[in-house]
Amino acid sequence: MSSAHDRCLSAEELESLRLQDERIVPKFKQERLEAEAKKNWDLFYKRNTTKFFRDRHWTTREFEDLSDMKLSGKQLTILEVGCGVGNFMFPLLEEAPDVFFYACDFSSRAIQFVQENPHYNPERCLAFCCDLTKDELKNTIVSESVDLVSVIFVLSAIHPDKMLSVLQNIYSVLRKGGSVLFRDYGLNDHAMIRFSAGSKLMDRFYVRQDNTRAYYFSIEKVAELFAAAGFLAAKTQYIFRETINRKEGLTVPRVFVQGKFVKTDIGL
């Protein structure tokens, strides 16, 4: 189900959010988490290797542009930022033979897993390590040469103060008329509500037990960021799902924000 409105919370959930505010992560620890962000993601992939995330076959169902791309037969260039171990790229390479992929990630360990994948073909894809908050994508990709960029569960892991610069970095390599497909954690997602005191960094920004971080977006925040980076919003909405935890016998509400943003001729 999709909606332009966020999820209403129960009294119990509102109390959980109130308790989070009783103990905010101290500034010195927040600074350390920022400084060690790359190390923490490398450790994540060291622990989980290629087994944590499933292949994202759902993307062609959820994003019309991707299903149309498979049928078009056109030579297209796609950039996936925050590619992880290739769960988005490899299924699409198989389904769309006329696509060339650039794939980048913060974690050098994740990129190593991508390059070691038996389906990795240097004639059809290039995977490279990149800190989107510092490294210019133009150093690897020709300016305004990419047709489509996927930003799926990536921006939430980046400090809010640096999100705009990441989108501006992406803007520089996307051609005029090209699109960004976005999906990430949404405001009032169950995972946000269940954080305990001592996990909150700032409003809607939290640290997990493995020291990776997550931000939970409102559609207004997403629209504001993309507009500031020069994009035109084609579509922005909340996506509501239910996840069943069979072990605990629970059904939990998940909330995501999904959107499509276009680089226009007007620009910044």
Side-chain angles (χ1 to χ4, degrees):
M1 185 176 71
S2 61
S3 173
H5 304 285
D6 58 10
R7 183 172 75 89
C8 294
L9 299 180
S10 67
E12 184 180 356
E13 289 173 320
L14 289 169
E15 176 64 9
S16 295
L17 289 179
R18 188 193 67 77
L19 291 173
Q20 290 173 0
D21 289 327
E22 291 188 350
R23 187 155 52 92
I24 304 296
V25 176
K27 186 178 178 181
F28 77 90
K29 185 176 180 182
Q30 293 199 35
E31 291 172 349
R32 189 171 77 236
L33 287 167
E34 178 65 18
E36 296 179 351
K38 182 181 186 302
K39 183 185 81 171
N40 290 328
W41 277 107
D42 277 334
L43 288 171
F44 172 89
Y45 286 109
K46 182 180 180 180
R47 284 191 301 270
N48 296 292
T49 65
T50 61
K51 300 172 183 176
F52 190 83
F53 299 110
R54 296 178 180 177
D55 282 352
R56 291 173 173 170
H57 294 283
W58 55 266
T59 53
T60 51
R61 182 180 68 249
E62 296 283 346
F63 291 106
E64 195 174 295
D65 293 66
L66 295 177
S67 56
D68 291 346
M69 174 199 71
K70 290 197 302 178
L71 300 172
S72 71
K74 294 180 181 178
Q75 293 279 348
L76 295 174
T77 300
I78 296 179
L79 165 63
E80 181 186 10
V81 297
C83 66
V85 297
N87 300 98
F88 173 78
M89 179 178 75
F90 287 122
L92 276 180
L93 282 173
E94 185 178 347
E95 295 170 12
D98 298 308
V99 166
F100 183 88
F101 249 100
Y102 289 103
C104 68
D105 200 275
F106 196 24
S107 168
S108 55
R109 193 176 290 272
I111 293 299
Q112 180 184 344
F113 284 127
V114 172
Q115 294 172 339
E116 291 175 350
N117 189 300
H119 298 292
Y120 184 79
N121 178 357
E123 294 183 0
R124 296 201 56 208
C125 55
L126 173 65
F128 61 101
C129 196
C130 179
D131 179 350
L132 292 166
T133 69
K134 298 176 184 177
D135 305 329
E136 289 194 11
L137 287 165
K138 291 186 294 185
N139 292 337
T140 304
I141 304 170
V142 176
S143 297
E144 299 193 338
S145 65
V146 173
D147 297 293
L148 186 146
V149 182
S150 71
V151 185
I152 299 176
F153 298 111
V154 177
L155 209 59
S156 56
I158 295 168
H159 194 286
D161 291 348
K162 298 181 178 181
M163 290 177 181
L164 177 57
S165 66
V166 168
L167 296 181
Q168 290 169 333
N169 199 357
I170 291 168
Y171 187 93
S172 70
V173 296
L174 186 66
R175 67 166 175 82
K176 289 182 175 66
S179 300
V180 174
L181 303 182
F182 176 88
R183 184 158 174 158
D184 220 318
Y185 302 111
L187 179 66
N188 296 339
D189 179 45
H190 176 74
M192 172 182 166
I193 306 300
R194 67 192 294 269
F195 278 108
S196 59
S199 300
K200 190 170 184 178
L201 301 164
M202 60 182 69
D203 188 34
R204 303 178 190 170
F205 195 38
Y206 297 83
V207 59
R208 303 184 182 97
Q209 289 186 343
D210 63 3
N211 286 332
T212 62
R213 297 168 298 175
Y215 184 89
Y216 294 83
F217 291 95
S218 66
I219 56 175
E220 292 82 8
K221 178 66 175 178
V222 173
E224 174 191 312
L225 282 167
F226 275 91
F231 291 95
L232 176 69
K235 190 174 185 180
T236 316
Q237 61 187 346
Y238 288 108
I239 303 292
F240 299 109
R241 296 284 186 266
E242 287 189 340
T243 300
I244 300 173
N245 185 328
R246 299 187 188 283
K247 185 178 180 181
E248 298 183 18
L250 294 174
T251 300
V252 297
R254 301 306 311 269
V255 183
F256 308 107
V257 173
Q258 186 164 304
K260 175 184 174 181
F261 301 89
V262 180
K263 180 173 180 176
T264 66
D265 290 331
I266 299 171
L268 289 168

